[in-house]
Amino acid sequence: MSTAREERARAAGEADRLTAQGVSGVVLTMVDTAGITRIKTVPVSALPDAVRWGVAMPPVFDLFLADDSVTGGGLTGAPEGDLRLLPDLGRLTPLAAQPGWAWAPADRHDQRGTPYPGCQRLFARRMTERAAERGLALRMGFETEWVVGRDADPSRSRPAAGPAYGMARFVELSDYLRDVLDALVAQGVAVQQLHPEYAPGQFEVSVAPSDPVGAADLAVLVRETVRAVSARHGLTASFAPVVEAGAVGNGRHLHLSLWQDGRNLCRDGDGRHGMTAVCEAFLAGVLRELPALLALGAPSAASYLRLEPSRWAGAFQCWGPENREAAIRFVAGAPDADWAANAEIKSFDAAANPYLAVGAVIAAGLAGIDAAATLPPPVVGDPAEVGGHKRLPTSLTEALAHFERSAVLREALGEPLFGAVVAVRRAEAARFEGATPQSIVAATRLRY
Ligand code: GLU
Ligand code: MG
């Protein structure tokens, strides 16, 4: 554990390095309860002070909705008080598509310097530590999907008309996609794939797995990099769950594998498709809790316009090997690649706060291990056609009701995180009560 003085000295060194690279300022990010990335920036010269004392940011952000209105939610003291954003120096990254700027994700402490229990990033870290106490490590990675347009409504202004997964769509935006790739690589992001997706104008980038907090940090960095490159090309990027009512939307699937003593527990076991019993119990815990987890992983009214059957979005509470319609797709991987076996949670989208998502998934999985939970038989084929599988919640209100009843998530999140989620989801659901799909899409398309 380094002392505050050492940390400050380290930050001074980093600040010098950034200045030499022509960086003027550092942007500090947090992701709020509604899934919006909110920021403060400081000049590079102020980085050492920011690392030592933090940058003021009030707790009221926890009660912001995606449209910037603020809900009271019955929580006391929301307008008062202050917190400190503390940049994580280990993640400090010059931003390739925003020359002159660097980025660092931040934790939140109170004014006495104590970790704030409502900090989403610290929650993800707490759950990672909870797994580590049992000798377990998680490798996680988000897939980012987005739709490009020429203006505020990408569905009416497609810069790329080429077909799904098509070479033609890639050729149309070749320079843009090269710049996306170059910017990510320049920032040290281990890109695995970049390709045109199913929906018109849609693309996807996937990155190598990392630790859970790192995966959530990368979700923030990847999205803002894509957004910045898009802006430089005169394009808008929509990461919202749905950009066009009634069509395939943007997911942000979460891949995970479970490790113990350097061994991937998703393979070489005696269970189904090579799973170990611990892996099966973890996934069973996640599957069981999934209706409640959706309040975190699919947190917008728009999420439920995406989460429809037969759109590869994972609308049913089931799992299956390599099944793109199952909420949990199990990937057995290849015999010669021990890292490859993993499970993909398909139901999540990019309105989610990635820190809450990874932390809550770990909590649900560990509860599954505690209960020695087992998976039901896997689904074969499209669950919408084979029948017999439960639909996941079809509205934010329904997901919230499951969340409020989830003892596992309530305990793991603790107050005030649990309360903030309930307050914000309630307010978001009320905001869109009775709204048409079109108006939900229009209100959320460019918010995330
Ligand atoms: N766009 C789909 C979704 O909403 C996912 C497509 C895929 O399987 O990658 O999740
Ligand atoms: Mg995809």
Side-chain angles (χ1 to χ4, degrees):
M1 194 73 190
S2 59
T3 64
R5 187 192 292 250
E6 282 163 2
E7 271 290 279
R8 195 162 186 278
R10 191 173 149 220
E14 294 288 356
D16 288 346
R17 248 191 303 284
L18 290 177
T19 303
Q21 292 173 47
V23 174
S24 311
V26 182
V27 53
L28 279 48
T29 55
M30 65 153 293
V31 184
D32 73 10
T33 318
I36 305 291
T37 301
R38 314 254 180 207
I39 68 153
K40 286 285 181 91
T41 77
V42 294
V44 165
S45 59
L47 186 62
D49 282 355
V51 165
R52 172 73 180 83
W53 288 290
V55 176
M57 196 170 210
V60 68
F61 285 99
D62 292 333
L63 298 177
F64 269 47
L65 308 193
D67 68 359
D68 296 344
S69 59
V70 184
T71 179
L75 298 185
T76 53
E80 293 95 23
D82 219 347
L83 295 170
R84 301 166 171 197
L85 278 183
L86 287 162
D88 184 341
L89 273 189
R91 291 259 153 204
L92 191 63
T93 307
L95 293 173
Q98 292 169 272
W101 289 100
W103 162 83
D107 291 328
R108 294 188 298 162
H109 287 195
D110 67 19
Q111 282 167 308
R112 288 187 311 276
T114 312
Y116 176 54
C119 173
Q120 296 87 348
R121 192 167 183 267
L122 289 173
F123 165 66
R125 196 177 301 289
R126 273 203 307 282
M127 293 305 113
T128 306
E129 280 160 10
R130 210 181 250 199
E133 282 158 17
R134 299 156 198 240
L136 297 172
L138 283 121
R139 307 288 295 156
M140 291 181 157
F142 286 99
E143 291 178 0
T144 297
E145 295 183 338
W146 75 98
V147 171
V148 286
R150 290 219 183 276
D151 61 28
D153 183 353
S155 70
R156 288 170 194 274
S157 59
R158 304 225 190 268
Y165 309 100
M167 181 71 182
R169 192 187 299 170
F170 162 73
V171 172
E172 287 173 282
L173 287 178
S174 183
D175 289 352
Y176 164 69
L177 294 168
R178 180 209 52 221
D179 287 354
V180 169
L181 185 57
D182 281 353
L184 290 169
V185 171
Q187 291 168 176
V189 177
V191 174
Q192 283 188 327
Q193 281 186 38
L194 175 63
H195 61 86
E197 250 293 346
Y198 183 83
Q202 191 178 40
F203 294 92
E204 171 178 321
V205 64
S206 52
V207 300
S210 38
D211 66 281
V213 176
D217 287 339
L218 271 174
V220 173
L221 180 63
V222 167
R223 170 160 45 185
E224 299 316 322
T225 303
V226 170
R227 196 195 313 277
V229 174
S230 303
R232 295 177 85 79
H233 281 261
L235 302 171
T236 52
S238 172
F239 303 88
V242 177
V243 292
E244 190 177 357
V248 168
N250 290 319
R252 189 170 61 192
H253 308 167
L254 175 59
H255 288 263
L256 66 91
S257 55
L258 194 60
W259 296 69
Q260 191 161 42
D261 300 328
R263 168 173 173 229
N264 186 350
L265 300 181
C266 296
R267 55 176 274 152
D268 300 328
D270 304 328
R272 294 196 188 94
H273 303 282
M275 282 181 215
T276 62
V278 176
C279 171
E280 173 168 351
F282 187 96
L283 296 182
V286 175
L287 186 62
R288 189 177 61 184
E289 216 60 48
L290 207 49
L293 283 168
L294 285 190
L296 302 171
S300 164
S303 300
Y304 299 86
L305 301 175
R306 164 187 169 261
L307 202 53
E308 288 279 346
S310 308
R311 289 192 198 160
W312 296 351
F316 289 88
Q317 189 178 10
C318 56
W319 75 282
E322 292 289 3
N323 189 324
R324 287 183 167 71
E325 279 299 332
I328 299 181
R329 167 182 169 233
F330 185 71
V331 184
D336 59 347
D338 70 343
W339 43 266
N342 76 91
E344 178 186 30
I345 302 173
K346 296 209 62 155
S347 319
F348 290 2
D349 62 55
N353 177 314
Y355 302 100
L356 293 181
V358 300
V361 163
I362 297 171
L366 294 180
I369 292 175
D370 288 347
T374 53
L375 284 167
V379 61
V380 179
D382 185 344
E385 279 162 24
V386 298
H389 294 280
K390 241 169 74 192
R391 262 307 286 276
L392 284 165
T394 56
S395 70
L396 179 53
T397 306
E398 201 185 326
L400 177 58
H402 286 281
F403 180 78
E404 288 186 273
R405 285 198 298 271
S406 170
V408 168
L409 297 184
R410 182 184 288 268
E411 181 281 325
L413 287 154
E415 293 291 344
L417 263 180
F418 189 85
V421 171
V422 169
V424 169
R425 299 297 178 269
R426 247 187 221 151
E428 292 262 355
R431 154 101 174 68
F432 290 112
E433 179 81 52
T436 62
Q438 287 73 14
S439 67
I440 296 173
V441 171
T444 51
R445 189 157 37 210
L446 291 180
R447 298 305 291 177
Y448 296 103

Short mmCIF file of all heavy atoms in Angstrom, two decimals, residues 309-310 314-319 323-327 379-390:
data_model
loop_
_atom_site.label_atom_id
_atom_site.label_comp_id
_atom_site.label_asym_id
_atom_site.label_seq_id
_atom_site.Cartn_x
_atom_site.Cartn_y
_atom_site.Cartn_z
N PRO A 309 -37.56 -11.56 -28.49
CA PRO A 309 -37.16 -12.87 -29.02
C PRO A 309 -36.65 -12.77 -30.46
O PRO A 309 -37.03 -11.86 -31.21
CB PRO A 309 -38.46 -13.68 -28.99
CG PRO A 309 -39.31 -12.99 -27.98
CD PRO A 309 -38.95 -11.54 -28.04
N SER A 310 -35.82 -13.70 -30.82
CA SER A 310 -35.32 -13.90 -32.19
C SER A 310 -34.56 -12.68 -32.72
O SER A 310 -34.61 -12.38 -33.91
CB SER A 310 -36.47 -14.28 -33.14
OG SER A 310 -37.19 -15.38 -32.61
N GLY A 314 -31.03 -12.47 -26.33
CA GLY A 314 -31.11 -13.25 -25.09
C GLY A 314 -32.33 -12.87 -24.26
O GLY A 314 -32.20 -12.43 -23.13
N ALA A 315 -33.53 -13.08 -24.83
CA ALA A 315 -34.76 -12.63 -24.17
C ALA A 315 -35.38 -13.68 -23.27
O ALA A 315 -36.36 -13.42 -22.59
CB ALA A 315 -35.78 -12.20 -25.23
N PHE A 316 -34.81 -14.91 -23.26
CA PHE A 316 -35.37 -15.98 -22.43
C PHE A 316 -34.38 -16.37 -21.34
O PHE A 316 -33.17 -16.35 -21.55
CB PHE A 316 -35.67 -17.21 -23.30
CG PHE A 316 -36.85 -17.01 -24.20
CD1 PHE A 316 -36.68 -16.45 -25.46
CD2 PHE A 316 -38.13 -17.36 -23.79
CE1 PHE A 316 -37.77 -16.25 -26.30
CE2 PHE A 316 -39.23 -17.16 -24.62
CZ PHE A 316 -39.05 -16.60 -25.88
N GLN A 317 -34.95 -16.77 -20.19
CA GLN A 317 -34.10 -17.14 -19.05
C GLN A 317 -33.62 -18.58 -19.24
O GLN A 317 -34.13 -19.51 -18.61
CB GLN A 317 -34.90 -16.98 -17.75
CG GLN A 317 -34.03 -17.13 -16.50
CD GLN A 317 -34.85 -16.92 -15.24
OE1 GLN A 317 -36.09 -16.86 -15.28
NE2 GLN A 317 -34.18 -16.83 -14.10
N CYS A 318 -32.64 -18.76 -20.10
CA CYS A 318 -32.13 -20.10 -20.36
C CYS A 318 -30.68 -19.98 -20.80
O CYS A 318 -30.18 -18.89 -21.06
CB CYS A 318 -32.96 -20.80 -21.43
SG CYS A 318 -33.05 -19.88 -22.98
N TRP A 319 -30.01 -21.13 -20.89
CA TRP A 319 -28.63 -21.13 -21.35
C TRP A 319 -28.48 -22.22 -22.41
O TRP A 319 -29.29 -23.14 -22.51
CB TRP A 319 -27.67 -21.40 -20.19
CG TRP A 319 -27.67 -22.85 -19.76
CD1 TRP A 319 -28.60 -23.48 -19.00
CD2 TRP A 319 -26.70 -23.84 -20.13
NE1 TRP A 319 -28.30 -24.80 -18.85
CE2 TRP A 319 -27.13 -25.05 -19.54
CE3 TRP A 319 -25.54 -23.84 -20.88
CZ2 TRP A 319 -26.42 -26.25 -19.69
CZ3 TRP A 319 -24.83 -25.02 -21.03
CH2 TRP A 319 -25.26 -26.21 -20.44
N ASN A 323 -25.48 -20.99 -28.17
CA ASN A 323 -26.84 -20.62 -28.61
C ASN A 323 -27.02 -19.11 -28.49
O ASN A 323 -27.05 -18.55 -27.39
CB ASN A 323 -27.87 -21.35 -27.74
CG ASN A 323 -29.27 -21.18 -28.30
OD1 ASN A 323 -29.62 -20.13 -28.84
ND2 ASN A 323 -30.08 -22.22 -28.19
N ARG A 324 -27.17 -18.44 -29.63
CA ARG A 324 -27.26 -16.98 -29.64
C ARG A 324 -28.60 -16.43 -29.19
O ARG A 324 -28.78 -15.22 -29.09
CB ARG A 324 -26.91 -16.45 -31.04
CG ARG A 324 -25.46 -16.57 -31.35
CD ARG A 324 -25.06 -16.01 -32.69
NE ARG A 324 -23.61 -15.89 -32.77
CZ ARG A 324 -22.76 -16.92 -32.85
NH1 ARG A 324 -23.24 -18.15 -32.89
NH2 ARG A 324 -21.47 -16.73 -32.89
N GLU A 325 -29.56 -17.30 -28.96
CA GLU A 325 -30.85 -16.83 -28.44
C GLU A 325 -30.99 -17.07 -26.94
O GLU A 325 -31.97 -16.65 -26.34
CB GLU A 325 -32.01 -17.51 -29.19
CG GLU A 325 -32.34 -16.86 -30.53
CD GLU A 325 -32.78 -15.39 -30.40
OE1 GLU A 325 -33.31 -14.99 -29.37
OE2 GLU A 325 -32.54 -14.65 -31.37
N ALA A 326 -30.04 -17.78 -26.36
CA ALA A 326 -30.09 -18.02 -24.91
C ALA A 326 -29.51 -16.80 -24.19
O ALA A 326 -28.58 -16.16 -24.68
CB ALA A 326 -29.28 -19.26 -24.56
N ALA A 327 -30.07 -16.50 -23.03
CA ALA A 327 -29.53 -15.37 -22.26
C ALA A 327 -28.08 -15.61 -21.90
O ALA A 327 -27.27 -14.68 -21.89
CB ALA A 327 -30.36 -15.17 -20.99
N VAL A 379 -30.88 -25.14 -23.58
CA VAL A 379 -31.87 -25.00 -24.65
C VAL A 379 -31.17 -25.33 -25.98
O VAL A 379 -30.02 -24.95 -26.20
CB VAL A 379 -32.46 -23.57 -24.68
CG1 VAL A 379 -31.38 -22.53 -24.92
CG2 VAL A 379 -33.53 -23.43 -25.75
N VAL A 380 -31.90 -26.05 -26.81
CA VAL A 380 -31.39 -26.36 -28.15
C VAL A 380 -32.33 -25.71 -29.14
O VAL A 380 -33.53 -25.95 -29.11
CB VAL A 380 -31.32 -27.89 -28.37
CG1 VAL A 380 -30.81 -28.19 -29.79
CG2 VAL A 380 -30.43 -28.53 -27.33
N GLY A 381 -31.82 -24.84 -29.98
CA GLY A 381 -32.66 -24.12 -30.94
C GLY A 381 -33.14 -22.81 -30.36
O GLY A 381 -32.72 -22.39 -29.27
N ASP A 382 -34.00 -22.12 -31.10
CA ASP A 382 -34.51 -20.82 -30.66
C ASP A 382 -35.58 -21.03 -29.59
O ASP A 382 -36.62 -21.64 -29.88
CB ASP A 382 -35.11 -20.09 -31.89
CG ASP A 382 -35.57 -18.67 -31.53
OD1 ASP A 382 -35.71 -18.37 -30.32
OD2 ASP A 382 -35.79 -17.87 -32.46
N PRO A 383 -35.34 -20.56 -28.38
CA PRO A 383 -36.32 -20.79 -27.30
C PRO A 383 -37.71 -20.26 -27.65
O PRO A 383 -38.71 -20.78 -27.15
CB PRO A 383 -35.73 -20.05 -26.10
CG PRO A 383 -34.59 -19.24 -26.61
CD PRO A 383 -34.16 -19.84 -27.90
N ALA A 384 -37.78 -19.26 -28.53
CA ALA A 384 -39.10 -18.74 -28.93
C ALA A 384 -39.87 -19.80 -29.71
O ALA A 384 -41.10 -19.84 -29.69
CB ALA A 384 -38.93 -17.49 -29.79
N GLU A 385 -39.13 -20.69 -30.38
CA GLU A 385 -39.79 -21.71 -31.19
C GLU A 385 -39.96 -23.02 -30.45
O GLU A 385 -40.99 -23.67 -30.56
CB GLU A 385 -39.03 -21.92 -32.50
CG GLU A 385 -39.39 -20.85 -33.53
CD GLU A 385 -38.38 -20.73 -34.65
OE1 GLU A 385 -37.67 -21.71 -34.92
OE2 GLU A 385 -38.31 -19.63 -35.24
N VAL A 386 -38.92 -23.41 -29.68
CA VAL A 386 -39.03 -24.72 -29.01
C VAL A 386 -39.99 -24.65 -27.82
O VAL A 386 -40.59 -25.66 -27.46
CB VAL A 386 -37.66 -25.28 -28.56
CG1 VAL A 386 -36.75 -25.52 -29.74
CG2 VAL A 386 -36.98 -24.38 -27.55
N GLY A 387 -40.21 -23.49 -27.24
CA GLY A 387 -41.16 -23.33 -26.15
C GLY A 387 -40.62 -23.85 -24.82
O GLY A 387 -39.54 -24.43 -24.76
N GLY A 388 -41.38 -23.60 -23.76
CA GLY A 388 -41.03 -24.14 -22.45
C GLY A 388 -40.01 -23.31 -21.67
O GLY A 388 -39.59 -23.71 -20.59
N HIS A 389 -39.61 -22.17 -22.23
CA HIS A 389 -38.63 -21.35 -21.50
C HIS A 389 -39.26 -20.04 -21.07
O HIS A 389 -40.06 -19.46 -21.80
CB HIS A 389 -37.39 -21.11 -22.35
CG HIS A 389 -36.63 -22.37 -22.61
ND1 HIS A 389 -35.77 -22.91 -21.68
CD2 HIS A 389 -36.66 -23.23 -23.65
CE1 HIS A 389 -35.28 -24.04 -22.16
NE2 HIS A 389 -35.81 -24.27 -23.35
N LYS A 390 -38.85 -19.58 -19.88
CA LYS A 390 -39.44 -18.36 -19.32
C LYS A 390 -38.88 -17.12 -20.00
O LYS A 390 -37.67 -16.99 -20.16
CB LYS A 390 -39.15 -18.29 -17.82
CG LYS A 390 -40.42 -18.29 -17.00
CD LYS A 390 -40.19 -18.48 -15.54
CE LYS A 390 -39.60 -17.25 -14.86
NZ LYS A 390 -39.11 -17.57 -13.50
#
